[in-house]
Amino acid sequence: MTESTNSEWRSAPPGEAVTPPGEAGSTLVGGPEEPVSPEPPTPPEQPGGKKKVVRLGDRLFQGVATGSGIFVVSIIAAIGLFLLVRAIPALHANEANFLLSGQWRTGDPENMAFGIVDLAWITVASSLVALIIAMPVAGGIALFLTQYAPKVLARPFAYVVDLLAAVPSVIYGLWGALVLAPVLKPVALWINGTLGWIPIFADGNVPANSGSNVFTAGIVLAVMILPIITGVAREVFERTPSAQIEGALALGATKWEVVRTTVWPFGRSGFVGGAMLGLGRALGETVALTVILSYTFEGPHYSIFDAGATFASRIALGSAEFNNHLTVGAYIAAGLVLFISTFAVNALARWIESGSGKGKK
Amino acid sequence: MAKRLDINDLNLYYNKFHAVQDVTLQVHARSVTAFIGPSGCGKSTVLRALNRMHEVIPGSRVEGSVLLDGENVYAPGVDPVQVRRTIGMVFQRANPFPTMSIRDNVVAGLKLAGVKDKKRLEEVTERSLRGANLWEEVKDRLNKPGGGLSGGQQQRLCIARAIAVQPDVLLMDEPCSALDPISTLAIEDLIAELKKDYTIVIVTHNMQQAARVSDQTAFFNLPEVGQPGQLVEIGETGKIFSNPSQKATEGYISGRFG
């Protein structure tokens, strides 16, 4: 009885039934009337109505789950919309080309000229340096922990690596600027001196021995994203089916060959996914880079010995300027680009994962 | 090719646990030896000790010797990787490498051994797949992943992979237990053919299978729970199944326990 009235309720709106929402409580009264009522409503009700028994718990859970999903998506959409709405007026007032200019003059709302090229370069360069260093190291740590290390050692070691993620980023910034940068000076000078003919290692817009450049920032970022990549990689490598590992061993594979033929092909996509997560973190890292990178008015020379600001550190540095709508809008426009690029990186990670997943089956 | 195995006083341990006690038996060349016995009696453990796969498990230990045509595979200085290249193994669950094509699966062992010659790899692929009675079914899709085959085909692919390196001995750990009767029959026929060229040791829970495919049968048993497994007797398959010398064997075979 209740079931049939429920289903009538569900199909009522499309069928243009008489019962308005207010009568929800009085279904018992409305219910019996329905079957007696003339043909039109009944045919569409029967197929769906008799088959599906929807329990209250299921409906509740489905509602909560769907609601949470919608909530998250709408939050993200709202953030994107907010960024867009606030950025547009500033972009209209912009006298430079937002995508192609490298200058950042936002102090006077009447006369703003700003573009993202320099920010994009510093952001991407430091993140890529970080990724290039962190990926092999993280992969190596994960393989060591899952394949080589004795169990007694693996646990505490993994814990220590995870602990790296718990260090506040301002500490990383101080460490990078005060400890690492001086240590790296000779290395930077050597690279610059020997490989300087390659543009990426040429002189930057600050002296190579200053230490407050993309090179230092990238290394600090590498340490910061190490735990993320290692954690993901460890998990996927651990899940390599033991049947496959034994299969390789029984064929006379050495430890390294086992890794190459089974563990790596199995975990590769997950590892790349983890690296993309790390990249996402590196792109958005703010405080550490604000501390490390020195500020310069000279445009970048497209070398890893450049200094400057990333999207995030530019926004952080500019917070003192947030005194009118248009100036804030300029920073928000930069934030929008960062938002979109992290989004794109995540989408790319998914795409890579699904791509190599297809290769598996 | 096709060497004999002499197992002497083999004792196997997992950490403190004594899994198998004092196994001594001979496996003849170019014949099929079946290991039967109730679950947990250590027959798979013994099988895995023959190609030094037992020691892959952390905490495991081996005492005694396994002689491959007189050479002890446990002698100091013997590389387990080398042992596994000469004593191949097929597992209970087919485990082709899912990311590799059928062809690459077959020649995986050869590639590990450093063979690069394309022509040779082609030849071995065809010979091994023919040897595993799989060639006709897959010859048109050698580049497709091995994971796309049916369970029985995957198991035959694993057999092809094992025989591609032309091992001296082929170990099979319940190779049909996850297969349907038709695929099982295909594998049993294959075993009968393979024994012309290979020494085969097969662990099976299926006593009819042991009776059908093997030349000699070894019966393992667990005297009591918690005690190490033992080899009760080994003999010609016909004799073990018709007139075993031990009461326990007779009881197990006639279905009184196990």
Side-chain angles (χ1 to χ4, degrees):
Chain A
M1 186 63 198
T2 24
E3 283 151 17
S4 78
T5 43
N6 264 345
S7 61
E8 277 159 21
W9 250 103
R10 275 146 55 80
S11 53
E16 278 291 305
V18 224
T19 31
E23 276 183 52
S26 62
T27 29
L28 272 179
V29 185
E33 281 174 16
E34 294 281 353
V36 195
S37 72
E39 303 260 40
T42 26
E45 279 163 20
Q46 266 176 345
K50 297 281 176 195
K51 274 183 210 156
K52 270 197 180 168
V53 181
V54 183
R55 290 177 203 286
L56 181 65
D58 281 347
R59 281 176 74 172
L60 220 84
F61 181 74
Q62 189 191 358
V64 170
T66 314
S68 321
I70 292 171
F71 178 69
V72 168
V73 172
S74 50
I75 285 274
I76 292 175
I79 292 174
L81 198 70
F82 157 77
L83 292 174
L84 202 64
V85 166
R86 295 291 300 271
I88 287 173
L91 289 173
H92 274 301
N94 189 4
E95 282 165 17
N97 186 320
F98 180 64
L99 293 176
L100 298 177
S101 164
Q103 50 183 325
W104 196 270
R105 191 153 46 76
T106 51
D108 177 8
E110 300 299 309
N111 181 21
M112 294 202 304
F114 57 92
I116 56 164
V117 173
D118 294 2
L119 302 181
W121 162 247
I122 300 292
T123 308
V124 171
S126 53
S127 300
L128 284 185
V129 169
L131 212 54
I132 288 167
I133 296 170
M135 272 178 79
V137 175
I141 295 176
L143 284 177
F144 168 72
L145 290 178
T146 55
Q147 307 299 321
Y148 291 91
K151 284 272 178 293
V152 236
L153 200 71
R155 260 179 200 290
F157 199 101
Y159 181 67
V160 169
V161 174
D162 285 343
L163 219 62
L164 282 178
V167 178
S169 53
V170 66
I171 305 291
Y172 277 112
L174 289 173
W175 172 70
L178 302 177
V179 181
L180 194 64
V183 176
L184 285 175
K185 241 179 234 177
V187 184
L189 284 172
W190 182 82
I191 294 177
N192 180 239
T194 346
L195 299 171
W197 51 276
I198 305 171
I200 197 85
F201 299 125
D203 289 329
N205 57 8
V206 291
N209 66 0
S210 85
S212 51
N213 49 29
V214 168
F215 181 57
T216 311
I219 292 174
V220 172
L221 276 182
V223 179
M224 295 177 75
I225 64 177
L226 204 58
I228 301 178
I229 309 181
T230 309
V232 174
R234 207 179 66 216
E235 222 145 88
V236 292
F237 290 158
E238 229 161 25
R239 263 187 264 140
T240 314
S242 61
Q244 278 181 43
I245 295 180
E246 293 207 322
L249 281 174
L251 278 179
T254 61
K255 193 93 197 174
W256 163 239
E257 286 164 343
V258 169
V259 168
R260 228 182 46 201
T261 52
T262 61
V263 179
W264 176 247
F266 181 83
R268 185 177 42 207
S269 55
F271 175 67
V272 172
M276 289 295 145
L277 278 183
L279 180 61
R281 161 120 203 242
L283 288 174
E285 176 48 42
T286 312
V287 179
L289 296 192
T290 314
V291 176
I292 294 169
L293 290 170
S294 62
Y295 190 62
T296 168
F297 283 99
E298 200 184 327
H301 295 181
Y302 299 99
S303 148
I304 60 166
F305 300 114
D306 279 335
T310 66
F311 285 111
S313 74
R314 159 66 68 211
I315 294 170
L317 284 168
S319 57
E321 266 191 356
F322 291 174
N323 47 20
N324 70 77
H325 225 73
L326 280 178
T327 303
V328 172
Y331 286 99
I332 284 181
L336 180 64
V337 176
L338 182 60
F339 181 77
I340 292 169
S341 39
T342 21
F343 226 90
V345 163
N346 276 306
L348 183 73
R350 297 289 146 137
W351 183 73
I352 291 171
E353 277 193 67
S354 63
S356 48
K358 264 177 225 150
K360 248 180 212 170
K361 277 286 149 183
Chain B
M1 279 201 58
K3 294 180 176 169
R4 59 179 281 122
L5 281 171
D6 294 278
I7 301 158
N8 298 316
D9 295 325
L10 198 64
N11 280 277
L12 302 167
Y13 303 85
Y14 294 107
N15 290 314
K16 288 270 164 62
F17 177 64
H18 194 172
V20 178
Q21 189 179 29
D22 297 333
V23 171
T24 298
L25 62 86
Q26 282 82 44
V27 173
H28 307 301
R30 290 198 178 76
S31 73
V32 178
T33 302
F35 288 0
I36 61 169
S39 296
C41 68
K43 52 196 189 304
S44 284
T45 308
V46 172
L47 189 79
R48 290 168 61 94
L50 301 185
N51 67 341
R52 298 191 63 169
M53 282 294 285
H54 175 65
E55 67 202 49
V56 169
I57 296 158
S60 59
R61 199 153 51 83
V62 180
E63 283 169 12
S65 63
V66 175
L67 306 181
L68 181 64
D69 262 10
E71 308 257 357
N72 186 2
V73 303
Y74 283 101
V78 173
D79 182 2
V81 168
Q82 219 52 49
V83 172
R84 292 175 202 138
R85 283 184 187 169
T86 50
I87 305 181
M89 191 163 198
V90 176
F91 294 85
Q92 188 170 354
R93 291 199 150 270
N95 56 354
F97 302 124
T99 48
M100 289 186 193
S101 66
I102 292 172
R103 175 187 287 115
D104 287 344
N105 260 293
V106 175
V107 296
L110 282 185
K111 281 192 171 167
L112 288 175
V115 177
K116 291 215 173 68
D117 180 12
K118 280 227 165 127
K119 205 162 158 263
R120 165 116 194 265
L121 293 177
E122 275 307 306
E123 282 168 18
V124 171
T125 305
E126 180 170 348
R127 194 197 66 218
S128 309
L129 285 172
R130 280 189 190 283
N133 287 338
L134 192 60
W135 175 253
E136 293 300 327
E137 290 158 65
V138 300
K139 64 180 176 190
D140 300 324
R141 46 174 172 159
L142 292 175
N143 291 320
K144 295 271 165 61
L149 299 173
S150 76
Q153 289 173 326
Q154 287 191 19
Q155 192 60 296
R156 277 180 283 152
L157 177 60
C158 290
I159 293 175
R161 183 174 72 182
I163 61 176
V165 293
Q166 300 198 294
D168 297 326
V169 179
L170 192 57
L171 309 176
M172 301 180 135
D173 190 358
E174 299 182 41
C176 303
S177 64
L179 301 182
D180 65 87
I182 293 174
S183 306
T184 300
L185 198 66
I187 304 263
E188 286 181 10
D189 289 346
L190 179 57
I191 292 172
E193 271 176 46
L194 288 174
K195 78 169 180 182
K196 289 176 202 151
D197 299 312
Y198 298 96
T199 306
I200 296 174
V201 185
I202 178 171
V203 167
T204 178
H205 270 292
N206 179 336
M207 274 179 289
Q208 286 83 7
Q209 181 169 64
R212 281 193 298 261
V213 302
S214 72
D215 301 301
Q216 65 168 353
T217 298
F219 172 62
F220 290 80
N221 199 9
L222 212 57
E224 255 174 73
V225 176
Q227 298 226 328
Q230 289 171 345
L231 172 65
V232 175
E233 70 173 311
I234 178 167
E236 218 178 286
T237 299
K239 183 175 173 295
I240 293 281
F241 279 92
S242 60
N243 185 22
S245 56
Q246 300 290 320
K247 267 227 153 73
T249 315
E250 196 186 345
Y252 181 70
I253 285 167
S254 57
R256 240 170 278 152
F257 77 96

